[in-house]
Amino acid sequence: MTTGQDKVVSMNRFRKGGTPSPLRQAEAYWTALRRGDDVPSRSQIDPRGLENILSNTFILERIAPGIARFRLAGTLVNEMAGMEVRGMPVTAFFTTEARKQLSSAMEHMFETPAIVELELQIEAPRQRTPREARMLLLPLRSDLGDISRVLGVLVADEGTAATSQRFSITSIEMRTVGNAPGSAEFKAKPRAADRDQRPDVNQPNPGFAETQARFKPERSLLEEAKALLERSRAGKLGEPADTAAIAADTTENKRKRASHLRLVVSRD
């Protein structure tokens, strides 16, 4: 009876009345955003991709070790909490015993990183029959590149919502992501950080590149002054001077001529 236990699939997630299909839909959307073994960023999340489960979805921000607060939350999450949850820590809606378990699970999620799936028990003083819920936490990167955001989904069994309800944790399942030990192999398109291993996409194509002519060497100020001096001596100020002839002039020829003009050139 102990053989083949790894092939047994738990049917709790498919039970009637509390189907956690939003969890699987959110995880599939999150997986599609991955590039290689990396974790998606918060800016990649598009509400249109989660249109069917927006009421069950929320975004968390890590503010301290083991503590994360709500940045955004769907209507169902607010109804189950009985208030607007934006800005409040997620641990505030759990029992005292469950807060330590949730904090440890979130730290493992941020550091590893990992996917965390929780089975919850709803504890409300005015409910007659116990209700169950499930929560999925998917790590995300912030705009700074660190893993400090969470895409979360919360589903619960059908029943009358009660205020002041709290969650207790029945079980915790954590699955490592990326290159962490024990993680499953995942192959996808590389992210922008891996571009150094690929050819430069911005390198110009030689077939479409335009040939640019080199700049002609520009005469210096001293050469211009020499040309002006030679033209003044030749009495041809209106005619262009031959630079080659000036350069070929020897020192002996210059000594024979009487100097009547002194040039001072400054580079400042």
Side-chain angles (χ1 to χ4, degrees):
M1 296 179 62
T2 58
T3 59
Q5 294 295 326
D6 55 339
K7 300 180 181 179
V8 178
V9 179
S10 176
M11 300 301 293
N12 290 334
R13 63 180 63 183
F14 305 107
R15 62 185 181 273
K16 184 178 179 181
T19 173
S21 58
L23 276 66
R24 306 281 75 82
Q25 182 176 348
E27 185 175 358
Y29 176 76
W30 178 85
T31 304
L33 296 178
R34 295 177 62 187
R35 293 294 182 268
D37 294 329
D38 202 1
V39 174
S41 61
R42 166 65 181 86
S43 59
Q44 292 180 262
I45 302 298
D46 191 347
R48 293 173 294 182
L50 302 170
E51 185 177 0
N52 298 333
I53 57 172
L54 280 180
S55 59
N56 303 81
T57 309
F58 57 88
I59 297 291
L60 299 179
E61 177 190 8
R62 183 188 187 188
I63 57 177
I67 302 177
R69 66 178 180 180
F70 286 96
R71 292 288 299 266
L72 297 172
T75 56
L76 181 61
V77 180
N78 293 327
E79 290 176 0
M80 295 185 66
M83 65 184 74
E84 175 65 38
V85 300
R86 181 181 300 181
M88 301 186 65
V90 64
T91 53
F93 307 102
F94 287 78
T95 60
T96 305
E97 297 79 8
R99 291 176 183 177
K100 297 181 180 179
Q101 303 177 23
L102 179 62
S103 298
S104 301
M106 287 193 300
E107 278 304 298
H108 179 77
M109 174 187 61
F110 288 125
E111 297 296 335
T112 305
I115 299 174
V116 178
E117 188 168 348
L118 309 170
E119 289 187 2
L120 309 176
Q121 186 81 24
I122 301 177
E123 298 184 1
R126 289 183 287 179
Q127 70 177 11
R128 298 180 180 180
T129 58
R131 298 174 58 198
E132 295 182 358
R134 295 177 72 92
M135 179 181 291
L136 181 66
L137 302 177
L138 304 167
L140 297 173
R141 291 189 181 275
S142 67
D143 295 337
L144 300 178
D146 58 333
I147 302 179
S148 59
R149 301 292 189 271
V150 179
L151 172 63
V153 180
L154 178 63
V155 294
D157 292 337
E158 295 180 357
T160 305
T163 58
S164 302
Q165 56 188 357
R166 292 294 181 267
F167 303 115
S168 61
I169 299 177
T170 304
S171 65
I172 301 177
E173 178 185 355
M174 290 181 285
R175 304 188 296 275
T176 53
V177 178
N179 294 325
S183 60
E185 183 179 2
F186 181 87
K187 295 182 180 180
K189 297 180 180 179
R191 292 179 61 89
D194 301 332
R195 289 179 180 173
D196 53 348
Q197 302 177 1
R198 299 182 298 163
D200 188 5
V201 295
N202 295 324
Q203 185 176 4
N205 190 340
F208 295 93
E210 297 181 359
T211 57
Q212 297 181 357
R214 295 180 176 272
F215 289 101
K216 295 181 180 180
E218 185 178 358
R219 291 192 301 178
S220 63
L221 184 61
L222 182 59
E223 293 176 350
E224 292 286 347
K226 289 181 178 180
L228 179 62
L229 178 59
E230 293 298 328
R231 288 199 303 269
S232 64
R233 288 177 178 178
K236 299 180 180 180
L237 292 177
E239 300 179 1
D242 189 357
T243 307
I246 297 174
D249 194 5
T250 59
T251 309
E252 296 180 359
N253 294 333
K254 292 182 179 180
R255 291 178 179 177
K256 295 178 181 179
R257 300 172 183 174
S259 59
H260 61 279
L261 179 64
R262 184 176 183 181
L263 276 179
V264 178
V265 181
S266 176
R267 292 290 182 180
D268 296 335

